[in-house]
Amino acid sequence: HVQLVESGGGSVQAGGSLRLSCAASGYSYSSYCMGWFRRAPGKEREGVAGLYTGGGSAVYADSVKGRFTVSRDNAKNTLYLQLNSLKTEDTAMYYCAANLRYEVVPTLRPDRYNYWGQGTQVTVS
């Protein structure tokens, strides 16, 4: 039973930082793609960042480049998203997702991810 559990969301002032975590369990793939997505009220789900746990460059949405950093601790089976220089427009529910289809190129397309967490709220004021 694949499970992704996000944590680390909260309320911060503009310019502040947060670190989101996504603990993964229930599968034994050694390398796969994972991503962070977000959905703001009244808006479409948006890909934020993605990476391949086997190595290589991460991908980022233009709106977060230079401010957000995605990383992965394979020993802990945990994905992270460091959010710096937060803006009010970053306010959203943030979701972690896993692509367990043996793909090696990370993407920000939500339809390529087949497992999702429940989300963690980030509010920037």
Side-chain angles (χ1 to χ4, degrees):
H1 173 63
V2 177
Q3 197 168 19
L4 302 174
V5 180
E6 302 96 334
S7 61
S11 296
V12 295
Q13 291 189 334
S17 298
L18 283 173
R19 188 196 197 201
L20 307 184
S21 299
C22 171
S25 62
Y27 54 91
S28 59
Y29 292 70
S30 59
S31 299
Y32 47 93
C33 291
M34 294 195 76
W36 286 99
F37 295 80
R38 66 185 181 186
R39 176 174 278 164
K43 294 189 176 181
E44 297 280 326
R45 182 170 46 184
E46 173 190 21
V48 175
L51 58 67
Y52 176 60
T53 64
S57 299
V59 294
Y60 294 93
D62 288 343
S63 57
V64 307
K65 279 181 183 175
R67 300 188 299 121
F68 291 8
T69 303
V70 62
S71 62
R72 162 82 177 178
D73 185 331
N74 288 338
K76 295 182 179 180
N77 259 4
T78 300
L79 184 72
Y80 301 100
L81 185 67
Q82 179 68 40
L83 295 73
N84 295 330
S85 302
L86 281 161
K87 305 176 181 180
T88 55
E89 51 262 44
D90 295 318
T91 295
M93 184 71 80
Y94 283 72
Y95 300 90
C96 157
N99 175 352
L100 302 182
R101 295 194 181 99
Y102 302 104
E103 296 179 3
V104 300
V105 179
T107 174
L108 300 182
R109 287 176 50 184
D111 64 309
R112 300 314 304 159
Y113 292 82
N114 48 349
Y115 291 95
W116 294 82
Q118 293 299 306
T120 185
Q121 178 68 37
V122 171
T123 302
V124 185
S125 59

